[in-house]
Amino acid sequence: MARLTFVLLLIAVFTTQPGRRSLGEGGPPADLVLVDARILTVDKAFSTAAALAVRDGRFVAVGSNEEVRRHVGPNTRVIEGRGRTVVPGFIDTHVHALDVASGEAAQPFVNLRSIKELQDWLRAQAPTRPSGSWIWSPRTYPTRLKEHRFPTRQELDAAVPDHPVVVDCAYAFSLNTAALRAAGITRDSPSPAGGAIVKDAAGEPTGLLRNAGGLLARFRPPAGGAPLDTLEQVHRQYLAAGITSVIERGATLPGFETYRKLKEAGRLRVRATVTVRVPDATDSAAVERFIDGLPFKFGEGDEWLKAGPLKLVADGGILIGTSFMRKPFGPGARELYAIDNPADRGFLSLTAPQLAAAIGIIHRRGWQMVAHVTGDAGVDAVLDGIEAAQKQTPSPDRRHTVIHGYFVNRESASRAARLGVLVDTQPAWHYKDGDALSRGLGADRLAHFIGLKTLRQAGVDVAINTDHMLGLDSNDALNPFNPLLTIYSATTRRTESGRLLGPGEAVTREEALRMMTSAAARFSFDEKNRGSIEAGKLGDFVVLEDHFLTVPPQRLRTMRADITVIGGQIAFERLQ
């Protein structure tokens, strides 16, 4: 009798584990069934199916039409697939939805594509502002402007001479003369630690600041936070793009609280893991106090909202010439970045000892660590810190993550794989910025820019994502958040102009889809619950309007989601 009981228990466990084709047919009818589709399950075998069923928020059957129709009851909603492709809900492992929401509430994003457009925008703003008040532009990057360079102080003066003007380029800022004067920046002003006040041959400030945002902090418009209504609107835009889960990649504690309030109000539309940025990583004692004072533990939460990793910022950005590189930027950097020093190779935002100390503290406290780092020398410094932390306190499967890591080489890729380090990166930056970067840095260096194939061949787990931070249009945001544009870039290596750069780093559509679904789920330790269409996993999936595996490449980036489902509930449906 005991032997029979044990066998029955094993059968029960086996038939309810995620990955089974069905959870059995003896239960109640499904809440939702989809039939006559081309389902790419993205399971380990990348198997396909025609139909699926969801009950109580999870897949209960994946298989043939005949098998799945047995789960239809009188109240089951049935979706006709009509031969369309179905994939797991896209997981965007790098968004800044809080910044999008607060930005839209303060000043809706405008995509400025040239210095003339920027000047015209500034001229239009000046009459609407009190005399002498500061004007901050919508964020832009020199690589996104037609001229492929920073606007000069003289060009900003010509547009608006009487108001202090700041052109926001994230890790760099272009100022007009009035702004330099109001901020008290002169030829005698020293550059801040980890940053630079750029000066001309005569020693006068040019108006360009690198990694020196602290000098302007008191002049920024007051941050109003992310209104719940606007954050919910951002999440609805994600649903329309087929995104069902996100990792918020740099929240403050008030930002985490905003997510919690949204969930408590029943208005959290996507599953969210929230990364919290360490506010001051220059001082070890401050890092320890911050972690010890957090009101939650790593991973605390549920399938809708949970506490994610802690974030450090190691260097700046390659779009503005503040990445920390192994080799100097080169002669092309003079026009693109306004860098005259031929030996300039960027810099770390933290010293190497500060970075290693902060990584070690986060590691010892049991948290996952993620580091913003764009340059190859910056990646070396981050891997040094992780390796030292692992030697001091061995801890397998911590999944520390390099965010961006754009300049890929076999050496660092192999080292990351050995250390179990993950990489979170954005192929659409190759699409949007590859043309400008290849002229500024050279086509040879761009051959392995965001080198997905090199990373995968080394055995590194990679998630591709968008770094969405401003704007509500999936294709016209500052960083487009259309998952299919991301996949298009990863699989074609085409830039926005159509130029082919580094074709050897292209991956297949199957690989790219994994990097936005099943592989992406590993970045938040959720691979047992999401990322693939398998019985027992959360019922999140997307019905695409066309055939993902067979459409021409150009069609891939324009394909849309027809239906987005979370937990068996239709969260978005496009009007036909």
Side-chain angles (χ1 to χ4, degrees):
M1 187 66 170
R3 180 188 177 97
L4 177 61
T5 301
F6 178 73
V7 170
L8 291 174
L9 179 61
L10 282 180
I11 292 173
V13 170
F14 182 67
T15 58
T16 56
Q17 288 178 333
R20 301 299 298 163
R21 300 288 285 183
S22 174
L23 292 184
E25 300 171 9
D31 301 313
L32 181 143
V33 160
L34 173 108
V35 295
D36 292 323
R38 300 184 183 190
I39 300 173
L40 308 180
T41 66
V42 200
D43 61 6
K44 287 184 179 180
F46 207 88
S47 57
T48 60
L52 59 81
V54 183
R55 183 177 65 234
D56 297 329
R58 293 181 179 266
F59 296 114
V60 293
V62 183
S64 68
N65 288 326
E66 181 182 5
E67 292 169 331
V68 172
R69 285 190 187 278
R70 297 169 188 163
H71 294 267
V72 176
N75 297 317
T76 301
R77 177 162 185 178
V78 179
I79 299 175
E80 296 293 337
R82 303 196 309 273
R84 291 171 292 180
T85 296
V86 175
V87 299
F90 291 115
I91 300 172
D92 195 323
T93 55
H94 191 142
V95 302
H96 297 277
L98 289 165
D99 290 342
V100 179
S102 59
E104 287 295 311
Q107 177 178 280
F109 176 70
V110 178
N111 205 341
L112 302 173
R113 295 177 173 84
S114 70
I115 291 174
K116 182 182 183 304
E117 287 187 14
L118 173 62
Q119 289 176 313
D120 289 344
W121 184 89
L122 291 170
R123 288 189 184 103
Q125 294 299 309
T128 70
R129 309 294 181 94
S131 177
S133 62
W134 286 67
I135 302 176
W136 288 70
S137 79
R139 182 169 300 173
T140 188
Y141 301 115
T143 55
R144 306 281 173 88
L145 295 172
K146 183 178 70 174
E147 296 82 1
H148 291 164
R149 62 174 175 81
F150 288 104
T152 66
R153 174 167 56 86
Q154 292 76 16
E155 286 167 332
L156 300 180
D157 287 346
V160 180
D162 300 325
H163 289 261
V165 167
V166 180
V167 178
D168 182 355
C169 305
Y171 296 95
F173 302 90
S174 291
L175 279 63
N176 70 350
T177 301
L180 287 172
R181 187 182 305 116
I185 298 173
T186 70
R187 61 181 296 120
D188 298 322
S189 299
S191 293
I197 299 172
V198 179
K199 299 176 182 178
D200 62 21
E204 294 295 333
T206 66
L208 183 60
L209 307 181
R210 305 185 195 279
N211 279 18
L215 299 177
L216 305 176
R218 68 188 187 278
F219 305 111
R220 278 188 175 276
L228 296 191
D229 289 348
T230 316
L231 184 57
E232 183 181 16
Q233 182 186 6
V234 176
H235 291 163
R236 288 189 183 277
Q237 294 299 106
Y238 291 164
L239 293 172
I243 298 168
T244 57
S245 294
V246 300
I247 300 182
E248 182 78 35
R249 268 301 188 217
T252 59
L253 288 178
F256 187 96
E257 180 67 11
T258 299
Y259 265 91
R260 189 186 64 78
K261 289 178 180 177
L262 198 67
K263 179 175 181 285
E264 287 182 348
R267 298 167 59 187
L268 182 57
R269 304 300 175 186
V270 295
R271 306 186 192 278
T273 299
V274 180
T275 305
V276 176
R277 180 171 172 172
V278 177
D280 177 14
T282 61
D283 178 72
S284 294
V287 175
E288 291 179 339
R289 286 194 300 271
F290 177 75
I291 297 174
D292 293 344
L294 289 169
F296 41 72
K297 297 179 180 179
F298 173 63
E300 186 176 301
D302 58 22
E303 64 196 33
W304 278 99
L305 176 63
K306 67 177 182 177
L310 298 178
K311 181 177 181 178
L312 301 173
V313 176
D315 70 355
I318 194 56
L319 304 189
I320 42 138
T322 57
S323 300
F324 187 43
M325 305 293 289
R326 288 182 175 183
K327 296 180 179 179
F329 292 117
R334 180 168 187 169
E335 182 175 357
L336 179 61
Y337 301 136
I339 291 176
D340 291 324
N341 179 4
D344 195 311
R345 61 188 186 100
F347 38 76
L348 289 171
S349 302
L350 300 168
T351 66
Q354 288 171 341
L355 182 61
I359 290 171
I361 293 166
I362 294 169
H363 180 81
R364 290 194 300 275
R365 292 292 201 277
W367 286 76
Q368 181 187 23
M369 185 282 309
V370 301
H372 165 109
V373 56
T374 56
D376 46 9
V379 169
D380 293 339
V382 170
L383 295 180
D384 286 346
I386 293 172
E387 186 162 21
Q390 286 282 17
K391 283 181 179 178
Q392 185 178 42
T393 312
S395 179
D397 201 32
R398 188 60 63 83
R399 305 186 194 181
H400 298 317
T401 301
V402 163
I403 293 176
H404 306 306
Y406 288 145
F407 294 89
V408 178
N409 56 74
R410 289 190 178 91
E411 176 194 355
S412 59
S414 297
R415 189 180 179 201
R418 176 172 55 83
L419 292 171
V421 172
L422 283 56
V423 173
D424 149 352
T425 196
Q426 300 78 37
W429 287 36
H430 178 276
Y431 173 79
K432 296 290 291 185
D433 306 296
D435 290 317
L437 291 175
S438 66
R439 282 192 287 272
L441 302 176
D444 289 345
R445 192 148 28 178
L446 264 286
H448 301 288
F449 181 65
I450 313 181
L452 299 178
K453 178 156 284 189
T454 296
L455 289 168
R456 292 301 301 127
Q457 287 177 340
V460 178
D461 281 324
V462 182
I464 56 177
N465 51 60
T466 67
D467 197 6
H468 176 223
M469 60 181 70
L470 287 167
L472 292 175
D473 186 289
S474 65
N475 290 306
D476 198 44
L478 180 67
N479 295 332
F481 58 92
N482 175 0
L484 293 159
L485 176 60
T486 294
I487 290 173
Y488 166 82
S489 181
T491 55
T492 68
R493 297 287 292 185
R494 295 277 180 188
T495 66
E496 195 165 18
S497 72
R499 185 180 179 189
L500 184 63
L501 283 174
E505 291 289 0
V507 296
T508 67
R509 292 187 192 185
E510 292 90 338
E511 290 171 320
L513 182 59
R514 282 194 186 279
M515 292 181 199
M516 291 207 81
T517 55
S518 60
R522 297 197 72 251
F523 282 62
S524 56
F525 294 83
D526 284 315
E527 65 270 24
K528 292 182 179 179
N529 274 311
R530 67 187 77 166
S532 60
I533 298 175
E534 302 181 74
K537 288 193 173 182
L538 293 166
D540 303 349
F541 64 91
V542 182
V543 180
L544 301 176
E545 65 178 348
D546 215 331
H547 304 318
F548 176 84
L549 293 178
T550 59
V551 295
Q554 289 294 334
R555 171 65 178 129
L556 187 64
R557 68 186 175 92
T558 62
M559 193 188 308
R560 301 177 302 175
D562 275 350
I563 302 172
T564 303
V565 175
I566 300 186
Q569 301 294 315
I570 294 179
F572 167 80
E573 188 166 10
R574 190 175 302 281
L575 296 176
Q576 300 300 316

